[in-house]
Amino acid sequence: MHMIVAENLVKVFPAPDGGSTRAVDGLSFRVGSGQIYGLLGPNGAGKTTTLRMLSGLMTPTSGRAVLAGHDVVDDPQAVKRMIGFLTADTGLYQRLPPRELLTFFAALHGLSGSDARRRVDHLIDWLEMGDFAELRCGGLSTGQRQRTSIARALVADPPILILDEPTLGLDVLSNRVILDFIVREREEGKTVLLSTHYLHEAEVMCDHVGLLHNGALVAEGTVPELLAATGEAHLNEAFLKVVGESETVLPAPEDTAERPPAGQSDVVPPSSRDR
Amino acid sequence: MISRRRVSTVYVKELVDILRDRRTLAAMVVVPLVLYPLLMVGSVQALSAASPDVSRKPIVIGVDMQDVHWLEKLVIDDRLSRRGGALKPGRTSPSHEVGADSDAEHDTQADDEPEIFHRIVPQDEMAQAVRDRTIHVGVVRKEHDPVADRWVIDIFSDPEEVRSRSAAEWVRGLLGRLADRTVEWRVRQVGLPIEALNPIVIEEHRVSTPGSILSHILPLILVLMTITGAIYPAIDLTAGERERGTLETLMVCPVPVIDIIVGKFLVVATVAIVGAALNLASVSATVYFGGFEQALGSGEPTGGFPFGVLPIILVLLIPFAILFSAILIAVCSYARTFKEAQNYITPVILATLVPGGIAALPTSELQGVLTVMPVANMVLLTRELLLGSPVALGTVTWVLGSTTLYAAAAVAVAAHVFGAESVVFADSGSLKASFTRRTIKPAALPSAAMTILVVAILLPVWFFVQVNIPSGDPGSFIRTLRLSALAMPLCFIVVPLVVVVYWKIDVAVTFRLAVPSGRHVLAGVLLGLALWVPAAELSVLQSRLVGIPQTLRQADEALVAALQTTPWWQVVFCLGVVPGLCEEVCFRGFLLSGLGGAVRKWTAIIATACVFAVFHLHFFKLPMTAGLGIVLGYLCWQSRSIWPGVIAHVAHNSVSIVITAIPAVAARLGIDMTEPTAHLPAQIVVPGILLVVIGLALAGRQRDG
C-alpha cells in the first residue's frame, strides 16, 4: 500500500518581475508503507516546496497528492492529522518549556487532557528530555531543541513523518539522535519522507531515493539500483552523473510531461514509473 | 466550523506566551503605571514652568517725559479707588516715580498687584523700545478732543511676548477703569443715578457638566491607549510568529486557520482591555492623588474629573478593544516581519485618528453617518455618556452593531490572510501578487472573509446614501423612493458582482441563480403573501411593550400621502420589487454563500438575517426584519436558489405597502390602521399563520444537488 502518492505535481511561483518560476515541475513518486524515502538534491531543487505541498501547507498549481488516502487539496485537515512535520528550522516557541509546548500541540491534534499528558510523558521519557522538559525552549542547546522538535512531530503518533532537512546544521551527536530516531520510526512501521542534500546519510538510511534537480526527478530507485545504474560507488557521484546526463540529454523542464524514459540504465525515470 | 475547544487551546497558550514576554508586560503594566503618571506630573510641571503667572511680575511702562506725572497719578488713583477710596478725577497725587521705594507707594500697592516701574522713552522710539524689550509696554497720550473731552491713547506692545502681552492687558485694565470712573463722575454731575448706564443687567448661570472639557479629549485618549496596548501583541502573535519560524509548524497542525486567528485575536483583545483599564486606573489615580482634578475638569466649580463615569468608560473599552484588536490582527497578518508590521500599523493609526479627531470636535454629534462611522461612533458614544446626555437605545444598537460587524470583518480578513501562502512563505510571491487577477485561481464560492468585508464596507456607504437622499415634504417622498431605488442596485448588486467577477468566483453559484423547483417557488409565493401577518402581530406586541416611534408613524403617513399623489405601482416598484431583488442578491446570494462555507447552516442564516436587519437602519423594525431575514435565508438555503426568496420578499413588501397605504384595502380586511396596538382579526391571523406554516413545510425539504 502506498502511503504517499504524488502525481505530476507542479508548483509555479509568481516572480517579482511579473513572470513566474516553476519550483516543482511535474513531480511523481510513491512511498510505500513503512518505507524511508529520501528526496535528494541541492539547494533550490524543489525539495522543500514538494514537502510543503504534500503536508497541505501549499496548494499545488496542478497535479495531485494523496497521503494515507486523503487528497491534500480536497481534505488538507485530514492529511495534517496523518503527518508529523519536522522543518529545517526547529520552529519552537522560545518562551514555552518543552512540556508545555508538547501539551499545546497535543491539544491541537485533538488529544484530550489525560491522553495528552500520557503521550507527552511518554515522549519526554523516550527521548530522554527529562532534564530540560521544564526549561524554556529559548535556553536549550541545539540538540535539546532538536529532540523537542522530534517530540512535537511525534506528539499525535502519526503514521507518516515528513522531515525537511532534519540534520541541517547539526553537530555529530545531534545528528546521531536524528538518524537513530528515523530508523527507529521505520521499525515502528511509520512511513518517512525526508529531504536532504547530505547524500551519504540517505545512502545508509533510505529504502528509496529520488534525485531532484530543477524541480523534477531525474532518477529514482533504491540506493543499490542507482549505484548500479550509474556505475558509481557513492550516491554523490551517482547524482552528479545523473544530473550531468539530465542537462545534456533530457529535454527542457517545460517538456517534462513528454520526457522519454532514460532507457540507458535500471534507474527508472519517475514519469514512466508512475504511468 | 469554529471549535471553542481549539480556540481556547490557542488562547491559553498565546496568553501565557505573550505574558512571559517582558516587552508585553512593559507595554501593558510599566508604561501605564509608571510612565503615564510621570509624564502627566512632568508635563504639568513643565507647563507651569514654561507659563509662569506673569500677571504679578513687575511691569516696566515706557512713557514720554510729559506723561510721567499723569501715569503716576493714574496708577495711585486706581489703587485707591479699588480699595474703596473716594476719588475725583483731577485729584492731584504726590509727585514721585511709580514704583519708587517710598512709603506712599507701598501704602497704595496691594499684595496681588504687580510692581509698576516707568522708563522715560520718547514717543517716536516707543515701538523700538518694546521690540528691544527695554520696556514691556509703551503708553502715549496722543491727542485730546477738547469738545468731547476725550483722549486718544496709544499702547505699544508685543503680543507674541508673554510679559509684554500681560503688561498691555494690565494697562488696558487701568485705562478702562479710568474711563469708567470718568463716565460715572460725569453721569453724577448731570444728576443721573449710575445705574442708568446699565439698562440691562445680565446674570449668567453657567451650568458646567462635570468633565465637559475632559469628555471631548478623553475618548480620543482612550483610542490611543487601547491601540498602544494592542500593538505589540498583535505584531508578536502574527508577524512575530512568522519571523521566528514557528508559523509553519503551527499551520501544519490539523486546525482551521480561523480557530488560530480567533484565539490570537482574543489574546490581543484581552491584553488591550487589561492595558487600557490599567491606563485608565493610572490616569485616574494620578489625577486624584496629584491634585489635577480641576485642571483636567471643566474649570467651573462644578467641574472636575468625572470619577463616577469610570465604570461606563471601562465597559466601552471592550468594543473599542475588540475593534482595534481585530483591525491590528488583520493588518499585522499581512506582514512577514516585525518591521513590515510596524510599517503597516503607522498608517492605520493615522487613519484611526482622523475619525477620532472628527468625533472629538465639539460640533460633532452622534447622528447621521457618524453613527456607523468606525471609531468616530464609539468616540462620540463615549463622549455622550461622559456628558450624561440621553442616548437612544437604537443609536447604541447601531454603534455597537456596526462596530461588531467591522470587527468581524477584520477578524475574517485576518483569518483569510494569516494562513495565505504568500504570507507564510516568502517564496510564494508578494502579497500584491496574490491580489493580481492574473494569479487568482477560479473558485466556486467567495470566502467568508471576502463577503463580510464587502458587506462591512457597504454598511456606512448605504447609511450615507440613505441619510443624504433628500426627504421631507410629501411631494418629495416619491423622489426619495426613486433615488433610493436607483442607489440600491448599485450598492447591493453591482458592488458584490464586481468583487465576484474580479476574484474569478462563479457568479451563478455564488448568487444562487439556479432555477428553483416548483415546490420552493410555491413556498416563496405563500410565504410572501402571508408573512405580513406574523410581522404585523409582532409589531403589535412591540407597540404594546415599548410604544410605536414617531418616525415610523411619520413614514407611514408619508407613504399614504405618496400613494394619494403617485401611481401605486411606482411605490410598489420602489419599495417592493427593487429591494426584494437587490437585498436577496446581496444578503442571501452573496453574504449567505460566503458564510455558509465557514459556519454551520443556522449560524450562517441567523448572522445574515442580523446583518440584513441592521441595514434597514430602523431600531423598531429590527426584530421584524431579522425574523423575515431568517425565513428568507432558510428558503434560500433549502431551495439552493435565490428566486423563491426574491418572490417571497417582493410579495411581502408589496402586500405590506398596499395594506398600509390603501385604507380601503385595510378596511376590507377588517384591519384597524388607526390603532397600532390592535390585533389583526382572527379571520386574517388564522389563515395567515396557516399559509406561513404550509410555506415553511414546503421549503423544508432541501433540494438535491
Side-chain angles (χ1 to χ4, degrees):
Chain A
M1 179 196 172
H2 290 114
M3 288 297 276
I4 301 174
V5 177
E7 287 179 358
N8 211 21
L9 276 183
V10 174
K11 184 65 186 179
V12 179
F13 292 126
D17 60 1
S20 59
T21 309
R22 288 174 87 87
V24 175
D25 193 4
L27 183 62
S28 299
F29 64 92
R30 288 162 189 253
V31 185
S33 179
Q35 279 191 339
I36 299 179
Y37 187 102
L39 269 181
L40 316 181
N43 291 334
K47 304 187 296 290
T48 298
T49 303
T50 303
L51 298 191
R52 283 172 176 169
M53 285 193 284
L54 292 174
S55 52
L57 286 169
M58 275 185 179
T59 311
T61 306
S62 65
R64 184 164 166 264
V66 178
L67 278 84
H70 302 285
D71 189 291
V72 293
V73 175
D74 296 341
D75 199 354
Q77 300 301 337
V79 169
K80 288 174 182 177
R81 275 192 287 275
M82 293 292 145
I83 60 170
F85 189 78
L86 189 64
T87 56
D89 178 354
T90 50
L92 300 177
Y93 292 105
Q94 308 291 306
R95 299 186 287 261
L96 294 188
R99 186 182 295 280
E100 284 182 22
L101 183 130
L102 296 177
T103 308
F104 169 63
F105 280 100
L108 288 185
H109 278 84
L111 268 68
S112 67
S114 54
D115 288 346
R117 266 193 302 278
R118 262 198 303 276
R119 180 71 184 155
V120 170
D121 286 343
H122 168 70
L123 287 170
I124 287 174
D125 186 42
W126 183 51
L127 289 164
E128 296 171 0
M129 295 166 61
D131 291 345
F132 58 90
E134 315 301 335
L135 304 176
R136 291 190 187 181
C137 290
L140 301 184
S141 68
T142 311
Q144 291 170 330
R145 291 167 61 84
Q146 199 65 23
R147 286 180 201 212
T148 309
S149 289
I150 293 168
R152 184 195 52 71
L154 293 175
V155 77
D157 198 15
I160 300 172
L161 290 171
I162 296 180
L163 316 173
D164 185 15
E165 304 275 8
T167 55
L168 186 71
L170 293 185
D171 60 32
V172 179
L173 287 176
S174 303
N175 206 43
R176 174 52 53 193
V177 170
I178 293 288
L179 297 181
D180 287 350
F181 146 73
I182 293 169
V183 173
R184 196 158 40 179
E185 287 305 304
R186 177 179 50 188
E187 286 165 4
E188 296 271 319
K190 301 267 169 73
T191 304
V192 181
L193 172 63
L194 62 88
S195 73
T196 183
H197 59 265
Y198 299 141
L199 274 61
H200 60 280
E201 286 178 1
E203 206 170 309
V204 296
M205 198 167 48
C206 294
D207 302 311
H208 265 75
V209 291
L211 301 185
L212 202 57
H213 184 56
N214 288 337
L217 272 189
V218 289
E220 191 192 33
T222 62
V223 175
E225 280 174 349
L226 283 172
L227 296 179
T230 54
E232 299 289 345
H234 296 289
L235 215 45
N236 271 334
E237 287 79 24
F239 178 76
L240 288 172
K241 191 167 185 179
V242 173
V243 167
E245 285 172 1
S246 77
E247 288 187 342
T248 52
V249 177
L250 294 179
E254 49 269 28
D255 301 319
T256 305
E258 304 302 322
R259 189 179 296 162
Q264 63 272 53
S265 76
D266 295 349
V267 182
V268 186
S271 50
S272 59
R273 179 185 283 260
D274 287 320
R275 283 174 198 151
Chain B
M1 309 300 161
I2 294 178
S3 151
R4 202 178 302 162
R5 195 179 61 81
R6 287 191 299 250
V7 169
S8 147
T9 300
V10 175
Y11 175 79
V12 171
K13 176 261 161 188
E14 297 291 13
L15 193 61
V16 168
D17 194 17
I18 201 84
L19 288 179
R20 282 181 183 159
D21 188 357
R22 273 172 292 196
R23 283 166 293 189
T24 311
L25 289 177
M28 197 168 74
V29 181
V30 179
V31 169
L33 294 188
V34 178
L35 194 62
Y36 279 153
L38 282 177
L39 274 177
M40 208 157 163
V41 173
S43 54
V44 170
Q45 295 291 337
L47 272 176
S48 48
S51 319
D53 186 4
V54 292
S55 63
R56 293 186 200 176
K57 298 251 175 183
I59 295 173
V60 179
I61 302 176
V63 66
D64 192 89
M65 178 67 87
Q66 65 183 24
D67 292 334
V68 170
H69 290 293
W70 166 77
L71 181 66
E72 287 172 346
K73 177 179 161 303
L74 180 60
V75 170
I76 291 167
D77 281 359
D78 183 67
R79 286 175 177 168
L80 287 172
S81 73
R82 287 162 71 189
R83 287 192 200 172
L87 273 178
K88 283 192 298 184
R91 184 194 131 165
T92 53
S93 60
S95 176
H96 67 280
E97 285 188 0
V98 180
D101 189 16
S102 70
D103 289 345
E105 169 58 19
H106 278 290
D107 283 348
T108 57
Q109 186 184 340
D111 289 342
D112 59 348
E113 285 186 18
E115 281 186 280
I116 307 299
F117 298 90
H118 79 251
R119 184 183 292 272
I120 295 169
V121 178
Q123 285 187 20
D124 53 355
E125 294 174 17
M126 204 63 82
Q128 190 56 46
V130 172
R131 271 196 290 272
D132 295 343
R133 303 196 177 174
T134 52
I135 58 172
H136 295 119
V137 62
V139 180
V140 175
R141 284 198 295 174
K142 195 158 78 177
E143 58 185 61
H144 182 252
D145 177 358
V147 179
D149 189 12
R150 197 175 70 144
W151 279 97
V152 176
I153 296 175
D154 284 344
I155 297 176
F156 294 84
S157 70
D158 178 1
E160 301 300 318
E161 206 272 310
V162 179
R163 296 279 298 273
S164 178
R165 192 169 62 233
S166 173
E169 194 62 36
W170 187 86
V171 169
R172 268 184 228 109
L174 178 76
L175 294 173
R177 288 190 292 276
L178 170 65
D180 288 347
R181 288 199 303 276
T182 308
V183 169
E184 187 180 338
W185 184 79
R186 287 179 186 173
V187 168
R188 289 191 198 282
Q189 287 301 98
V190 296
L192 283 173
I194 187 65
E195 289 77 16
L197 286 177
N198 273 332
I200 297 172
V201 178
I202 296 170
E203 292 181 359
E204 286 201 50
H205 301 276
R206 292 185 182 173
V207 182
S208 169
T209 308
S212 57
I213 292 176
L214 193 67
S215 63
H216 284 100
I217 56 163
L218 192 60
L220 202 54
I221 294 173
L222 272 180
V223 171
L224 292 173
M225 283 178 177
T226 316
I227 294 178
T228 310
I231 285 177
Y232 180 74
I235 298 178
D236 190 69
L237 296 185
T238 50
E241 176 121 40
R242 160 78 177 78
E243 198 169 48
R244 289 189 295 270
T246 50
L247 185 56
E248 200 172 341
T249 50
L250 185 62
M251 297 304 295
V252 86
C253 291
V255 179
V257 182
I258 186 74
D259 290 356
I260 296 173
I261 209 73
V262 169
K264 286 173 179 284
F265 151 70
L266 290 175
V267 170
V268 178
T270 305
V271 173
I273 290 169
V274 173
L278 286 173
N279 273 295
L280 194 63
S282 166
V283 169
S284 309
T286 310
V287 169
Y288 184 76
F289 295 111
F292 304 122
E293 215 174 324
Q294 286 299 322
L296 284 177
S298 62
E300 298 290 327
T302 54
F305 194 83
F307 289 103
V309 296
L310 287 183
I312 298 171
I313 298 175
L314 276 173
V315 170
L316 284 170
L317 280 178
I318 294 170
F320 258 135
I322 287 173
L323 178 62
F324 283 123
S325 304
I327 290 173
L328 288 174
I329 278 277
V331 171
C332 295
S333 292
Y334 276 94
R336 290 173 179 159
T337 62
F338 237 89
K339 197 173 171 186
E340 205 176 306
Q342 284 169 332
N343 289 341
Y344 291 164
I345 281 178
T346 307
V348 170
I349 293 174
L350 291 176
T352 305
L353 288 177
V354 172
I358 291 171
L361 293 174
T363 49
S364 298
E365 288 182 23
L366 186 55
Q367 58 184 22
V369 77
L370 286 180
T371 316
V372 292
M373 185 187 282
V375 184
N377 58 0
M378 290 303 305
V379 169
L380 280 168
L381 180 61
T382 312
R383 189 179 82 186
E384 296 301 314
L385 293 174
L386 280 171
L387 287 169
S389 311
V391 183
L393 192 60
T395 308
V396 177
T397 309
W398 300 139
V399 173
L400 296 181
S402 57
T403 302
T404 308
L405 179 63
Y406 303 140
V411 172
V413 168
H416 187 70
V417 171
F418 186 70
E421 263 181 42
S422 50
V423 177
V424 179
F425 306 111
D427 49 4
S428 288
S430 68
L431 199 62
K432 188 182 159 199
S434 65
F435 281 93
T436 309
R437 192 162 192 271
R438 185 171 52 82
T439 62
I440 295 171
K441 279 188 168 183
L445 287 169
S447 67
M450 180 187 289
T451 54
I452 297 174
L453 184 65
V454 170
V455 171
I457 292 169
L458 278 178
L459 179 65
V461 172
W462 181 240
F463 206 104
F464 181 79
V465 168
Q466 288 291 292
V467 167
N468 285 284
I469 288 178
S471 62
D473 57 286
S476 70
F477 186 76
I478 188 64
R479 199 176 69 235
T480 306
L481 291 188
R482 285 175 190 153
L483 286 172
S484 183
L486 195 68
M488 211 166 230
L490 288 174
C491 279
F492 294 147
I493 296 182
V494 174
V495 173
L497 189 64
V498 167
V499 171
V500 164
V501 169
Y502 182 83
W503 290 91
K504 297 183 184 170
I505 299 163
D506 192 316
V507 173
V509 175
T510 299
F511 293 108
R512 300 172 198 256
L513 301 180
V515 178
S517 67
R519 178 193 182 93
H520 287 113
V521 171
L522 183 61
V525 172
L526 294 182
L527 289 169
L529 290 176
L531 271 174
W532 68 273
V533 175
E537 284 300 299
L538 186 61
S539 174
V540 168
L541 194 67
Q542 270 185 262
S543 305
R544 289 188 173 190
L545 286 174
V546 294
I548 191 163
Q550 191 62 25
T551 49
L552 196 61
R553 280 179 192 270
Q554 286 169 348
D556 285 345
E557 285 165 11
L559 188 63
V560 174
L563 266 182
Q564 286 167 356
T565 55
T566 319
W568 65 268
W569 59 268
Q570 280 195 19
V571 181
V572 167
F573 179 78
C574 293
L575 281 178
V577 178
V578 174
L581 177 66
C582 298
E583 289 172 0
E584 289 311 300
V585 168
C586 183
F587 296 106
R588 256 66 62 180
F590 185 63
L591 182 60
L592 188 59
S593 291
L595 292 182
V599 294
R600 290 189 177 88
K601 172 184 169 181
W602 281 107
T603 310
I605 290 173
I606 292 170
T608 306
C610 290
V611 175
F612 169 67
V614 167
F615 267 77
H616 281 73
L617 315 175
H618 207 298
F619 184 64
F620 187 82
K621 289 184 174 175
L622 206 66
M624 265 183 291
T625 40
L628 178 67
I630 290 172
V631 173
L632 291 170
Y634 177 67
L635 186 56
C636 180
W637 189 284
Q638 296 297 106
S639 65
R640 300 179 194 275
S641 169
I642 194 184
W643 302 115
V646 171
I647 292 168
H649 199 154
V650 169
H652 167 77
N653 282 12
S654 305
V655 170
S656 304
I657 291 161
V658 169
I659 293 171
T660 309
I662 305 177
V665 175
R668 196 176 176 83
L669 291 169
I671 303 166
D672 182 4
M673 294 301 292
T674 58
E675 184 46 68
T677 56
H679 283 288
L680 295 173
Q683 65 267 29
I684 297 291
V685 174
V686 174
I689 298 293
L690 196 64
L691 283 179
V692 170
V693 171
I694 294 170
L696 288 174
L698 284 171
R701 207 170 83 184
Q702 192 165 31
R703 193 181 171 195
D704 298 333

